[in-house]
Amino acid sequence: MNNIKPCMKITLTDTKPSIFESKVGGIGYIPHDKDFPTDSNGNQLRLLAQIECEKIQLDGFMKTGLLQFWIMNDDDSGMDFDNQTNQDGFRVIYYPEVDKTVTPEEIESKFVKNEYDDEPYYFPVFRECGMSFEKSENRYVDYYSELSDEEWEENTGHKVGGYPVFTQNDPRDEKQLEYYDFLLFQLDTDDLDGDDVVMWGDCGVGNFFINSEKLKQCDFSDVLYNWDCC
């Protein structure tokens, strides 16, 4: 096993990004001819995050477009605990090109309230924030051994690539660990100036994993989504 992997660390910023920029929460980019992704009951998903691919300086990652993560704002945050690759309550969408003629007003006109919108505490992102990026690396940590504070801190936070962190254990079995080998996105519990902006349950973390060859093919039909908390 390669014990050190490159990653792009992400810091949330107290800014108001546009619909074309990297962000958590808020209004996500939707092309003229597309709509909000929905679950099998027709409920619209909500934007968890979107990332400008040009910001991600990692081998095998797209160089242009927007990569989006949508989830249902229900009490499971869109995760199917029996099948974590079931993209019904969550969706990963890649737009290779972005049409700058789309407006926020046009996207807002496509919004349809779903049955969970009156329960905002279910959604892990409390307010829209921007992102800044820094190239880094981190090392593998064994969750069955006692971690030092340094080892724990190295894997926490928001990032693309590198090794993940969990508040419990890695949900991937041996075969999944080998197959879903790339950390597509990690969004950790976080605050800005003492105000909570991301909270998974009770101080948890969310992760999305993909096969690295599927990533190179820009095929996001098979992604494993997990979140856990203390």
Side-chain angles (χ1 to χ4, degrees), residues 1-2 30-31 36 50 54 56 63 74 81-82 93 98 106 119 122 128-129 149 157 199 202:
M1 175 187 286
N2 179 8
I30 299 175
F36 281 74
Q50 66 181 26
E54 64 187 47
I56 306 301
K63 304 303 180 187
D74 60 7
F81 287 88
D82 296 320
I93 299 175
V98 173
E106 179 184 353
E119 307 291 346
Y122 284 155
E128 182 183 46
C129 295
D149 290 342
M199 180 74 74
D202 184 12

Side-chain angles (χ1 to χ4, degrees), residues 119-212:
E119 307 291 346
Y121 57 86
Y122 284 155
F123 199 65
V125 175
F126 297 162
R127 65 182 173 93
E128 182 183 46
C129 295
M131 295 180 177
S132 65
F133 299 85
E134 177 186 6
K135 192 166 186 177
S136 186
E137 61 183 23
N138 67 297
R139 73 193 73 183
Y140 171 78
V141 294
D142 182 358
Y143 283 86
Y144 293 96
S145 63
E146 186 171 342
L147 303 182
S148 68
D149 290 342
E150 181 181 359
E151 287 175 319
W152 178 260
E153 287 295 329
E154 187 174 339
N155 285 26
T156 58
H158 324 296
K159 59 186 170 181
V160 173
Y163 287 103
V165 72
F166 311 97
T167 59
Q168 304 294 327
N169 294 316
D170 194 324
R172 296 168 293 174
D173 60 29
E174 187 174 346
K175 291 180 67 174
Q176 289 176 327
L177 190 61
E178 183 176 351
Y179 183 76
Y180 298 103
D181 60 336
F182 188 89
L183 178 60
L184 191 58
F185 182 47
Q186 175 170 290
L187 184 65
D188 207 344
T189 290
D190 200 358
D191 69 87
L192 286 175
D193 298 324
D195 293 328
D196 292 333
V197 292
V198 180
M199 180 74 74
W200 297 90
D202 184 12
C203 293
V205 60
N207 313 91
F208 296 81
F209 300 94
I210 193 172
N211 175 265
S212 55

Side-chain angles (χ1 to χ4, degrees), residues 96-136:
E97 298 179 352
V98 173
D99 184 346
K100 294 294 183 70
T101 67
V102 173
T103 65
E105 292 76 20
E106 179 184 353
I107 296 171
E108 288 171 351
S109 73
K110 298 178 180 181
F111 177 91
V112 177
K113 192 173 182 179
N114 70 32
E115 60 182 293
Y116 306 105
D117 283 326
D118 290 329
E119 307 291 346
Y121 57 86
Y122 284 155
F123 199 65
V125 175
F126 297 162
R127 65 182 173 93
E128 182 183 46
C129 295
M131 295 180 177
S132 65
F133 299 85
E134 177 186 6
K135 192 166 186 177
S136 186

